[in-house]
Structure formats: structure tokens, C-alpha cells
């Protein structure tokens, strides 16, 4: 069964961390470079994120994402290199096109930040089941109703997509055109959407009732089937990330 | 004996309903009894089931008169989640009973128990018990959506039963299943009976009702048309006018004028065969 998730099942100490510690780690490594504001801090955080990803043995997954953004990055270098507002010092020239140090440096900073955002998020996303993250948040006070909606959407959307293709196949086998010009396709989609929308509306009401008879509306505090395992690395990691954040703020205020 | 379920002069109209979905319904169900509910489309079977667990009037805020008392609790005076520990309801469509928020059958069955706040060891004890009772061992780690219809419906029954209700209502639980799946569900229902539960089951398959039910409640246009032993209800002459067909054995017996000593017609195969044997011995 598909759910919307990029989770990669592996054994590693990153995988073993509880989702909230990971969320904390990711968030800190993501914002520290913005607090400090220089290239060096961004490089350090990016380095830590890449190290975490390789410890979790999922680093190959991010290469494809970074490769896909290559065109964007090249464009960024060209535009900032030539037209950045603070451009003063010429770095090099290709014929009549002049590139400046300040612009290239700024483009480097933006690129590193972009890489850092991606890799920090991926530390969380690639090593955490969405359902585990949601459950951890519910344990810490997120409303179970919101938790339920988030968790079920991840499963029910792929389900609806596969229903759509089933209905499409059914319509196509009755001779309906579902490919070709936009107008043709629009005509095909309307009768397609009607049963889908109707059935999912009815299903929503039925599911709501089915939840109610399983005490979903209960006011008492919920309990959890799974015990939350907080690994022994969690505390040191939280302390270190908090110290990192504090250091970043101090740096920013003093300098 | 004190009745386990008491429905007294129950009338209900949905907010947007033109006619009453239930109109002066009264009946009682005794502990451990199996009550079959039959009736044509729109007779009010589903509405009745929903009234037993308090969805009517707590979920649908229509206009309800009369009283439903299940396991000693007046449904109007409590909440659906409180009632879930006393009365369960299994719906028609196995698919819409899957929460969608859980990744395995095991977690799915535990859902209700987490909601009522049971301690972890009690949750696992009950879920293990339900998995064994409903033959779901080999799929316990599967995704709920990957099950067959019959397995999914058994999982739904297990999820309700895990809450340990004394009474279970089932609203046409096999109408969306293939013969294999519906046989599985009937086996599960038999397991409920063996647990001593009070079972109320709406069902179109009259042959099944004739075989399992102690009594049959026949509904028509929101009213109770009959409530009696299966052979009494299915022996009525005007069944087709009330929108249901008697069991096939009963129709054959009527043609042959094969009656029991009390004048009723046989309703199950065994019943009919026994009567036939008897009559051929006598003649
Ligand atoms: N959610 C609703 N809102 C408004 N009216 C409803 C609703 N559900 C059922 N009704 C109406 O209430 C009446 C009884 O319906 P109910 O679904 O209880 O019958 P049923 O015996 O279960 O029928 P079926 O065999 O089709 O399942 C019908 O007239 C129906 O149109
Ligand atoms: Mg119904």
C-alpha cells in the first residue's frame, strides 16, 4: 500500500531517534545559518547535515534532488554574478560579460543555503515515518483530530488517486476519450469526477460515523499502543542543538 | 428476564427527511439473543442500527421521540463514545470503516482502545485476543487497505469487539462482499454468539437470518411489521407486499403445504428436510 512518504527504512542511530528530537535537530540546523548569516556557518551546518545523512545511509537520495536543481543554480550564478546590486570588484569576464566577486559570493551563499534547507529537511523526512512524527506530536499536545486528519490524508489521497484511475479505466472501456486535446479531456473528466466526488462524500460521512463508534470523540486522555522510545542519544543531541542555537543568537547580537 | 435492549415507541425524522425514517418502533431483545432485522430498502434498518449506538440522535441531529435503552443505558443521556463500551455497530461498507490513519491491522484494531485510554498492556492483550478470535494472524502486520473484503470486515468486527461491548449491531455487513467474504463474516458472527453477546443484525439474505436468528424483526416504511420467531414471520402470507421474499425453502414448503404441527412453514433446509422425512414416514 502506498502512502505519501519518502521514508527509507534503514537501521541507524538517526532512524532510532524519536521524531521530536529529529524535528528539533532539523529545525536548528536549518535556521542557524540564517541567524548567523555568513557562508561559513552555512557550510558547517550543511556539512553536519550531509554527515547525518550518510550516517543514516540515505545520502544518495538527495543527490538526485540537488542534481535537478542544477539549472536553477547556474542561472542564479549568472544573474547574481552580473547584476547583483553590490557588485564592485570584477572577478572575470567572458567576452563582454563581466562577472563580479560580490555577486558570485552572494550566489554561493544562496546556493549553500538552498542545499542546507534541502539536506536538513531530508534528515527528518528520509528517516522518519510520517505517522510516527504525527503520533509524537499528538503525545505532546497536538489535537488528535488534527493528527488523524494529517495521518489519514497521507493514506487516503493515494487511495483516491488509484480509485480515479480505476474509474478512468472503466470509462475508457466504455469508449470514453480520456486522452488527447484539453477540451476532450475536460469532457471526459466531468463524468469521471461526479462518481468520485459523490462516493467520497458519502464515504466521508460513513467514516466519520465509524470513527465515532470507536470512541474517537472521547474526552479522556488518549493512550498509545506503541511506547515512545527515546534513545540515549536524544538528550545530548537536544542539548547540543540548543547550545548551537544560543551560540548563533549570541554571535548575531554581539557582531 | 430483563431485556438487554429496549426500544420504546421510537420515532425519528432526519433533518432533511420528508417522512419519518422510524415511526413508533418498539421491541425488546434479551441477553444472548440474536435478532435479525429484515425489510426492503429504506425500511429504516440502518437508522435503527444507528439509534442503538446513539449516532441517532447524537451524530444526526434530527427529531427523535421515544427511548432506546441498551445495556441499561439510555442512549439519549450519554455520548457515542461512552456507549461504544456497551453497544457496538458494524457498518455495511468494510472500506469506510478503515480509519486510514493506521498502517497495520494490529494498529487499526487498537485504535478504539487508544481512544478510550486503556493502558498499553491491556491494549495488546485485547488486540491479540481479537486477532486470534477472528483469524487475522496471518495479516496482522498488513496494511488495512490491502485486505480482502471479508478480511476487512472481520477486522472491522474485531475493532468493535475489542471495546468489549455486550451488544453488537451489524448493518448488512455482508452486502458488499463476495460469497467467500460473506461466509467469513457469518463465521465471525457465529463467534460473537458463542461469546454470549446480544446480536442485532440487519440482513437482506433471509436464508441466513432464518438459520441464525432467534427472532426476526420485520420492518416496513419505518414501522415494525412483525417481530417473532423466524418461522412465524416467514410464514406470513403478505411477505411480498411488505417488500421481502421468504427463504426459498419456505416458498417450496408452502407450495407442498408442508407445515409443522404448529401450522408454521419450515424456514431452513434442515427444517424442511426433517418435515419431509416425517411426512413420508407417516404416509
Ligand atoms: N443521512 C440521511 N439523511 C436524510 N435521510 C436519510 C438519511 N439516511 C437515511 N435517510 C432516509 O431514512 C429512511 C430510512 O433509511 P434507512 O437507510 O434507515 O433504510 P434501510 O432499511 O437501511 O435501507 P437500505 O436497505 O437501503 O439500507 C429513508 O427514507 C432514507 O431516505
Ligand atoms: Mg441500510
Amino acid at each position: 500500500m502506498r502512502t505519501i512518504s519518502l521514508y527509507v527504512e534503514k537501521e541507524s542511530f538517526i532512524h532510532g531517534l524519536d521524531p521530536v528530537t529529529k524535528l528539533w535537530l532539523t529545525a536548528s540546523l536549518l535556521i542557524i545559518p540564517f541567524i548567523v548569516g555568513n557562508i561559513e556557518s552555512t557550510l558547517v551546518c550543511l556539512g553536519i547535515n550531509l554527515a547525518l545523512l550518510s550516517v543514516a545511509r540515505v545520502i544518495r537520495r538527495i543527490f538526485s534532488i540537488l542534481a535537478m536543481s542544477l539549472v536553477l543554480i547556474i542561472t542564479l550564478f549568472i544573474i547574481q554574478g552580473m547584476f547583483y546590486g553590490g557588485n564592485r570588484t570584477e572577478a572575470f569576464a567572458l567576452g563582454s560579460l563581466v562577472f563580479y566577486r560580490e555577486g558570485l559570493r552572494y550566489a554561493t551563499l544562496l546556493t549553500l543555503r538552498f542545499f542546507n534547507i534541502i539536506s536538513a529537511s531530508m534528515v527528518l523526512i528520509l528517516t522518519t515515518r510520517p505517522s510516527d512524527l504525527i503520533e509524537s506530536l499528538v503525545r505532546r499536545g497536538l489535537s488528535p483530530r488534527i493528527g488523524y486528519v494529517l495521518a489519514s490524508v497521507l493514506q487516503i489521497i493515494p487511495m483516491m488517486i488509484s480509485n480515479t484511475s480505476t474509474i478512468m479505466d472503466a470509462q475508457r472501456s466504455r469508449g470514453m476519450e480520456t486522452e488527447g486535446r484539453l477540451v476532450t479531456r475536460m469532457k471526459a473528466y466531468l463524468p469521471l469526477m461526479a462518481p468520485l466526488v459523490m462516493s467520497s462524500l458519502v464515504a466521508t460521512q460513513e467514516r466519520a460515523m465509524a470513527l465515532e463508534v470507536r470512541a474517537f470523540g472521547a474526552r479522556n486522555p488518549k493512550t498509545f499502543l506503541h511506547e515512545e522510545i527515546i534513545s540515549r542519544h536524544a538528550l545530548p543531541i537536544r542539548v547540543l542543538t540548543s547550545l548551537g542555537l544560543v551560540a548563533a543568537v549570541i554571535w548575531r547580537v554581539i557582531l | 428476564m430483563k431485556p438487554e435492549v429496549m426500544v420504546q415507541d421510537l420515532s425519528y425524522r432526519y433533518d432533511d427527511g420528508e417522512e419519518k425514517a422510524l415511526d413508533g418502533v418498539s421491541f425488546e431483545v434479551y441477553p444472548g439473543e440474536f435478532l435479525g432485522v429484515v425489510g426492503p430498502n429504506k425500511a429504516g434498518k440502518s437508522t435503527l442500527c444507528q439509534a442503538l449506538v446513539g449516532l441517532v440522535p447524537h451524530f444526526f441531529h434530527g427529531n427523535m421521540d421515544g427511548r432506546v435503552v441498551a445495556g441499561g443505558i439510555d442512549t439519549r443521556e450519554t455520548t457515542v463514545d461512552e456507549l461504544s463500551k456497551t453497544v457496538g455497530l458494524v457498518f455495511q461498507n468494510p472500506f469506510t470503516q478503515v480509519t486510514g490513519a493506521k498502517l497495520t491491522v494490529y494498529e487499526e484494531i487498537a485504535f478504539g482502545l487508544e481512544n478510550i485510554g486503556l493502558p498499553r498492556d491491556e491494549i495488546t492483550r485485547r488486540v491479540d485476543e481479537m486477532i486470534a478470535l477472528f483469524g487475522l494472524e496471518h495479516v496482522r502486520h498488513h496494511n488495512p487497505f490491502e485486505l480482502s473484503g471479508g478480511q476487512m470486515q472481520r477486522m472491522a468486527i474485531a475493532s468493535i469487539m475489542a471495546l468489549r461491548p455486550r451488544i453488537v449491531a451489524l448493518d448488512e455487513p455482508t452486502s458488499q462482499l463476495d460469497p467467500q467474504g460473506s461466509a467469513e463474516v457469518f463465521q465471525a458472527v457465529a463467534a460473537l454468539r458463542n461469546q454470549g453477546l446480544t446480536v442485532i443484525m440487519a440482513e437482506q439474505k433471509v436464508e441466513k437470518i432464518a438459520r441464525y436468528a432467534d427472532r426476526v424483526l420485520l420492518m416496513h416504511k419505518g414501522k415494525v411489521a412483525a417481530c417473532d420467531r423466524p418461522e412465524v414471520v416467514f410464514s406470513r402470507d403478505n411477505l411480498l407486499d411488505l417488500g421481502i421474499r421468504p427463504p426459498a425453502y419456505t416458498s417450496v414448503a408452502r407450495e407442498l403445504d408442508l407445515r409443522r404441527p404448529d401450522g408454521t412453514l419450515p424456514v431452513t433446509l434442515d427444517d424442511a428436510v426433517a418435515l419431509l422425512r416425517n411426512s413420508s414416514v407417516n404416509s
Side-chain angles (χ1 to χ4, degrees):
Chain A
M1 182 60 226
R2 285 182 309 152
T3 79
I4 301 177
S5 157
L6 294 172
Y7 174 70
V8 184
E9 187 151 0
K10 289 264 168 69
E11 295 260 323
S12 79
F13 104 89
I14 307 288
H15 283 77
L17 281 177
D18 62 289
V20 170
T21 302
K22 261 186 279 189
L23 187 62
W24 189 229
L25 180 66
T26 290
S28 310
L29 288 171
L30 206 149
I31 62 172
I32 284 174
F34 286 94
I35 299 177
V36 178
N38 60 13
I39 287 192
E40 291 75 8
S41 64
T42 317
L43 266 176
V44 170
C45 288
L46 178 61
I48 296 175
N49 280 321
L50 293 179
L52 292 173
L53 287 167
S54 58
V55 168
R57 294 187 291 143
V58 292
I59 192 152
R60 281 167 51 199
R61 307 269 164 159
I62 74 156
F63 290 152
S64 54
I65 303 174
L66 298 183
M68 275 190 302
S69 50
L70 212 60
V71 178
L72 184 88
I73 289 161
I74 292 173
T75 321
L76 187 76
F77 269 90
I78 294 175
I79 294 187
Q80 299 294 351
M82 299 198 310
F83 307 116
Y84 177 59
N87 279 347
R88 300 281 179 274
T89 338
E90 184 178 327
F92 60 90
L94 298 173
S96 58
L97 304 177
V98 184
F99 288 81
Y100 295 88
R101 272 173 190 273
E102 291 81 2
L104 293 177
R105 195 180 156 80
Y106 186 59
T108 310
L109 178 65
L110 291 185
T111 304
L112 289 174
R113 275 186 184 164
F114 173 72
F115 281 179
N116 187 54
I117 291 174
I118 298 286
S119 55
S121 325
M122 285 300 147
V123 170
L124 178 69
I125 293 170
L126 293 175
T127 69
T128 316
R129 274 198 195 84
S131 56
D132 291 348
L133 175 60
I134 295 165
E135 188 167 299
S136 288
L137 293 174
V138 171
R139 282 175 207 270
R140 282 166 187 74
L142 178 72
S143 133
R145 282 185 187 268
I146 295 176
Y148 170 78
V149 170
L150 295 175
S152 63
V153 152
L154 295 177
Q155 277 210 88
I156 289 172
I157 286 183
M159 191 73 68
M160 279 182 65
I161 294 173
S162 82
N163 283 352
T164 316
S165 63
T166 311
I167 298 176
M168 282 242 268
D169 287 343
Q171 308 274 34
R172 203 176 300 149
S173 70
R174 291 184 181 80
M176 176 164 293
E177 306 237 1
T178 53
E179 272 146 32
R181 294 218 342 255
L182 188 64
V183 185
T184 327
R185 270 186 301 176
M186 290 299 287
K187 276 197 200 129
Y189 273 97
L190 282 178
L192 171 79
M193 292 317 284
L196 190 69
V197 170
M198 276 312 292
S199 70
S200 53
L201 281 182
V202 173
T204 309
Q205 189 180 57
E206 282 185 10
R207 188 164 277 122
M209 285 199 268
L211 291 176
E212 291 308 313
V213 300
R214 284 163 75 187
F216 189 51
R219 298 273 175 84
N220 53 277
K222 236 170 96 70
T223 50
F224 298 89
L225 168 66
H226 299 297
E227 199 167 358
E228 190 176 41
I229 298 163
I230 308 278
S231 87
R232 63 197 161 85
H233 305 294
L235 186 65
I237 286 177
R238 287 190 192 196
V239 170
L240 280 176
T241 49
S242 311
L243 286 178
L245 273 174
V246 172
V249 172
I250 291 174
W251 168 282
R252 181 60 183 258
V253 171
I254 290 178
L255 297 169
Chain B
M1 200 163 26
K2 251 188 84 185
E4 185 78 330
V5 177
M6 257 192 310
V7 176
Q8 290 172 344
D9 204 19
L10 174 65
S11 293
Y12 184 74
R13 187 201 305 268
Y14 285 96
D15 267 340
D16 50 354
E18 281 151 36
E19 285 167 49
K20 286 182 178 174
L22 295 174
D23 188 358
V25 173
S26 300
F27 65 93
E28 289 174 352
V29 195
Y30 294 92
E33 204 183 8
F34 188 126
L35 180 77
V37 180
V38 298
N41 286 346
K42 308 211 161 185
K45 305 182 293 294
S46 298
T47 310
L48 177 63
C49 290
Q50 287 156 18
L52 294 173
V53 294
L55 286 170
V56 164
H58 299 298
F59 185 87
F60 294 106
H61 308 279
N63 198 344
M64 172 170 149
D65 289 314
R67 230 158 63 100
V68 177
V69 182
I73 306 172
D74 187 327
T75 59
R76 197 197 286 273
E77 274 150 28
T78 181
T79 54
V80 176
D81 58 276
E82 263 312 305
L83 269 169
S84 71
K85 296 173 219 166
T86 306
V87 213
L89 174 59
V90 177
F91 295 83
Q92 216 165 345
N93 186 344
F95 196 76
T96 54
Q97 294 174 81
V98 178
T99 61
K102 299 292 182 180
L103 299 177
T104 66
V105 169
Y106 199 91
E107 294 171 348
E108 179 74 24
I109 297 174
F111 179 80
L113 306 180
E114 296 180 316
N115 290 337
I116 60 172
L118 288 185
R120 181 171 303 118
D121 53 344
E122 178 67 13
I123 296 182
T124 52
R125 186 172 326 126
R126 288 198 193 182
V127 176
D128 284 330
E129 194 184 308
M130 289 304 124
I131 294 240
L133 183 61
F134 294 104
L136 295 166
E137 288 94 346
H138 56 296
V139 292
R140 64 194 287 152
H141 300 301
H142 289 211
N143 185 293
F145 286 118
E146 279 171 352
L147 303 187
S148 71
Q151 290 170 332
M152 228 187 240
Q153 194 62 297
R154 279 187 285 147
M155 176 180 74
I157 298 176
S159 308
I160 292 301
M161 286 296 293
L163 291 157
R164 301 240 170 109
R166 294 157 54 177
I167 307 155
V168 178
L170 303 104
D171 185 7
E172 301 191 37
T174 66
S175 66
Q176 317 240 330
L177 303 180
D178 57 13
Q180 161 72 23
S182 80
E184 288 172 25
V185 168
F186 275 104
Q187 266 172 21
V189 174
L192 302 188
R193 286 213 80 179
N194 294 336
Q195 304 271 309
L197 264 90
T198 306
V199 179
I200 296 162
M201 182 173 186
E203 180 59 62
Q204 305 263 10
K205 301 183 178 91
V206 283
E207 276 80 10
K208 295 284 191 187
I209 287 297
R211 193 164 130 207
Y212 288 97
D214 298 313
R215 280 188 305 141
V216 175
L217 179 77
L218 170 56
M219 298 201 57
H220 184 69
K221 294 194 171 161
K223 294 195 168 79
V224 175
C227 185
D228 212 322
R229 286 179 294 125
E231 54 276 17
V232 176
V233 172
F234 292 133
S235 295
R236 291 173 66 128
D237 302 328
N238 62 342
L239 276 187
L240 283 173
D241 300 336
L242 295 171
I244 71 155
R245 184 185 55 74
Y249 315 116
T250 313
S251 309
V252 172
R254 183 184 292 279
E255 292 296 311
L256 300 174
D257 200 29
L258 187 67
R259 287 179 187 268
R260 305 150 173 272
D262 65 359
T264 60
L265 296 163
V267 293
T268 63
L269 180 60
D270 293 350
D271 229 11
V273 168
L275 275 175
L276 264 178
R277 290 238 166 84
N278 236 330
S279 66
S280 57
V281 168
N282 289 348
S283 59

